[in-house]
Amino acid sequence: MSTVPYVLRRLAACSSIMPALLLSTLSPSATAADAATTTVATATAPVAAPVAAKTAWQETRHGTVVTDDYRWLQKKSDPAVIDYLNAENAYTAAVTAPIQPLADKVYAEIKGRMQEVDLSVPARQGNFYYYTRVEAGKQYPIHCRRPIGKGGAYDAQAPEEVLLDQNQLAEGQKFFAVRAFSISPNEQLLAYTTDTTGFRQYELHVKDLKTGKLLTDSMPRVTSLAWASDNATLMLAQEDATTKRSDRVFRLALGGTQQQVYHEPVEQFAINVGRTHDKQFFVLTSGSTDTTEVLLLPTNKPEGSFQPVLKREKGHRYVVEHRDGQLYILTNKEAKNFRIVSAPLSDPQARHWKTLVPHNKDAVIQSIDVFQGYLVVMEKARALNRARIHDFAQKNWKTVQFDDAVYLASAAGTPEFSATQFRMSYQSPVTPPTVIDVNMQDGKRTVLKQQEIVGGFDGSRYTTQRLWVKARDGVQVPLWIVYKKGVKLDGSAPLLLYSYGSYGISTEASFAISRISLLERGVIYAQAHIRGGTDMGEAWHEDGMLMKKKNTFNDFIDSADYLVREKWTSPNRLIIQGGSAGGLLMGAVVNMRPELFHAVHAAVPFVDVMNTMMDASLPLTTGEYLEWGDPNQKAAYDYMLSYSPYDNIARRNYPAMLVTTGLNDSQVMYWEPAKYVAKLRAYKTDGNPLLLKTNMGAGHGGASGRYNAIAENAFNMAWMLSQWGIDS
């Protein structure tokens, strides 16, 4: 599947108080005054909150002296930093001890609805059907395959071959994740990458599937990979050890040494390597927020050099697929929401382009899949997804869309270039994820599997609908909502409002098993499609970035005001939630309208905008200039400073807040939320809870094992329920 490219983006109870001695040694310059404490009442006795030491740090920016009292928290190697994070964790554990039984109950509910022994829908690739399965009590999936059966069908009785058991690989690790997983063309080798810290730096491994042994070939910090047709060569993209920008491609002949074949020098660009769907070409994509360049190399000539398809042009974003000597190009040239053109491989310049799918101002093209006989286009219009299928032989189109008011329909992976069935996933807030095969010739749909909810799930017991909010500048912002039938809509209902609003990433109307525990307790759940995503097209993203970023925050506040005005909830019943760039959203809106929200869960929040964006040595920073602005430019600096959550904390009342992060986060460093909480605790004038919870063995995505992830989610949900006064 070819998609419009973006660069990599930023998403036990304790009954005793941390000893005063430890608090006083958080930093060499700590004083008794710095170690003063605040208290929060619990069901048993007051518990003292850690108060971070202040240190003198200054820097002159655009002629103004900037101070940062908590800069010392950025030094991860300092034992005092770890002591402080542990103190915050101990404080959070003590304060939330009374809600732990509720967290345990919610955990049991989620786990009880989950099919603990399960199998993904097998997908054919070559002479095998590939799938993953999970076993009861085990944290991670097991990757397997079976040989194809008679007539190419899946044969459940065929012998199973276990390719990779993540549970075995994860033994002894606090964190474990697999990213790349690629079978060689002769189906005898497996290349995969693993991360054991949560920092999202993945190491290459190559496994001989005949012997089960690992080859000696390895490489650190691999971000993407692709096989050559000789079954003996890998093309590997690698990220920089410090900046985490994928900037180099290496050719690795198995058993030999890697050779660099490409370097991307421009700091705003990151690279990815893959193959066309027909496996004829390596595809090297170098992309920034607003520009891409695609280079090709035949997979049967891995010793050759990558050649650009089109000359790099500022503002031109495109992706490429290949079929029978023709390139199919998804391009935004003269088409803000993208169009699809074809061109001969021998000369793909614009003068040879033939339009296959014209630009549509009301629908953005998200991805294309090219098959031997068909082209599948995934589009989004008015915050809803659809698929359009073109039959090359018949020269006709079929549209696959659904009738629900809100839903998520997406491509689910169809590996075979010769396929005649296109696999899709469909779900809605009241429909569990459903795998569907669509016959690309006649459009007939076959449901292969729907996620089973143990104990049963009746979607008719809930109501979901689309709402439209008129923002302050007159723009109509879509929002979806789901709740259990019978909930009083008089302003008294507890409501959780979530959003993201950055990088062109849309808010999707998905299903979540965990959400049932909220709905069954009378909570209304809502998501706002605020500007910054591509929910309503590319212009929706552009209107929520750079010098228009505040539209994102205004849309969210206007959505919350609407929900209060229309009596879906009230400020004392409204909790908001967002993570990563959505955590920036949380920090910005509570500075702007703290009285509008009762409580906030900010996950891995990007809240220390200026200190991060002014430090080009940090991971991902320079690549973000095209999304947020380059703070080395005075106008951009002033605009970003005006909304940066950390820089706009003031002496005022704030909602109750739970801030969660991971010590090994590579996207939003742990110190952003840590500094934010430290400063907020020093400034806020209310007695509302302010909690920081750091997973000391994970990164941006939280816990890696499925049971551990459920436990984290259950705790967050229990905290929110307690803020609504729901204790069972």
Side-chain angles (χ1 to χ4, degrees), residues 57 59 61 66-71 74 606-616 618 621 631 637 641 644 646-647 671-672 675:
W57 183 91
E59 182 175 89
R61 299 172 181 170
V66 176
T67 62
D68 186 1
D69 292 338
Y70 304 104
R71 186 80 172 192
Q74 297 184 202
F606 175 40
V607 282
D608 192 8
V609 177
M610 304 315 299
N611 287 314
T612 291
M613 296 302 294
M614 289 296 293
D615 188 348
L618 292 173
T621 291
Y637 176 88
L641 181 63
S644 172
Y646 183 67
D647 296 284
W671 47 259
E672 291 205 38
K675 290 170 61 180

Side-chain angles (χ1 to χ4, degrees), residues 2 59 92 131 141 153 166 447 492 497 513 529 588 690 721:
S2 296
E59 182 175 89
T92 295
Y131 57 92
Q166 291 192 35
V447 174
S492 64
L497 175 62
I513 284 182
H529 298 268
L690 173 60
L721 288 168

Side-chain angles (χ1 to χ4, degrees), residues 72-213:
W72 67 274
L73 281 169
Q74 297 184 202
K75 192 174 181 181
K76 187 178 180 180
S77 60
D78 186 348
V81 172
I82 303 302
D83 289 344
Y84 174 75
L85 296 177
N86 284 331
E88 286 284 4
N89 278 349
Y91 172 69
T92 295
V95 170
T96 60
I99 70 168
Q100 192 57 49
L102 178 57
D104 293 341
K105 183 176 182 181
V106 173
Y107 173 88
E109 291 172 1
I110 300 172
K111 181 172 175 288
R113 296 187 190 103
M114 180 179 70
Q115 188 72 22
E116 291 194 79
V117 179
D118 205 0
L119 182 80
S120 69
V121 178
R124 182 176 176 178
Q125 182 176 342
N127 295 307
F128 295 88
Y129 276 89
Y130 292 81
Y131 57 92
T132 60
R133 58 181 176 83
V134 289
E135 297 179 353
K138 293 188 177 181
Q139 296 271 20
Y140 300 96
I142 302 168
H143 299 261
C144 308
R145 70 182 181 185
R146 297 182 194 273
I148 60 173
K150 186 177 299 184
Y154 174 69
D155 180 3
Q157 304 306 313
E160 177 185 82
E161 180 182 355
V162 174
L163 306 176
L164 204 65
D165 186 341
Q166 291 192 35
N167 300 284
Q168 293 179 359
L169 298 178
E171 287 182 5
Q173 305 289 349
K174 292 182 178 180
F175 182 95
F176 184 79
V178 170
R179 185 174 184 175
F181 185 95
S182 183
I183 301 292
S184 62
N186 65 4
E187 303 172 312
Q188 295 180 13
L189 297 170
L190 166 64
Y192 65 98
T193 59
T194 61
D195 170 25
T196 58
T197 68
F199 197 66
R200 295 187 177 180
Q201 287 189 331
Y202 291 82
E203 182 176 2
L204 170 71
H205 311 275
V206 181
K207 184 177 181 179
D208 185 326
L209 297 177
K210 279 190 171 182
T211 65
K213 304 291 186 181

Side-chain angles (χ1 to χ4, degrees), residues 508-588:
E508 303 291 5
S510 59
F511 181 87
I513 284 182
S514 59
R515 194 183 300 143
I516 299 171
S517 290
L518 297 179
L519 300 180
E520 284 298 302
R521 288 173 170 84
V523 176
I524 298 173
Y525 182 86
Q527 285 193 9
H529 298 268
I530 57 181
R531 279 173 281 188
T534 50
D535 312 64
M536 300 284 282
E538 284 294 321
W540 206 247
H541 178 208
E542 293 177 359
D543 283 348
M545 63 186 292
L546 296 173
M547 302 298 279
K548 296 181 179 180
K549 186 59 197 173
K550 289 182 182 178
N551 284 335
T552 300
F553 316 135
N554 292 338
D555 285 356
F556 188 87
I557 289 172
D558 293 345
S559 296
D561 276 331
Y562 170 88
L563 292 168
V564 170
R565 185 171 61 251
E566 297 299 316
K567 296 191 180 301
W568 290 97
T569 191
S570 57
N572 65 350
R573 304 292 281 162
L574 175 59
I575 296 180
I576 58 175
Q577 184 182 47
S580 195
L584 161 65
L585 171 68
M586 297 297 100

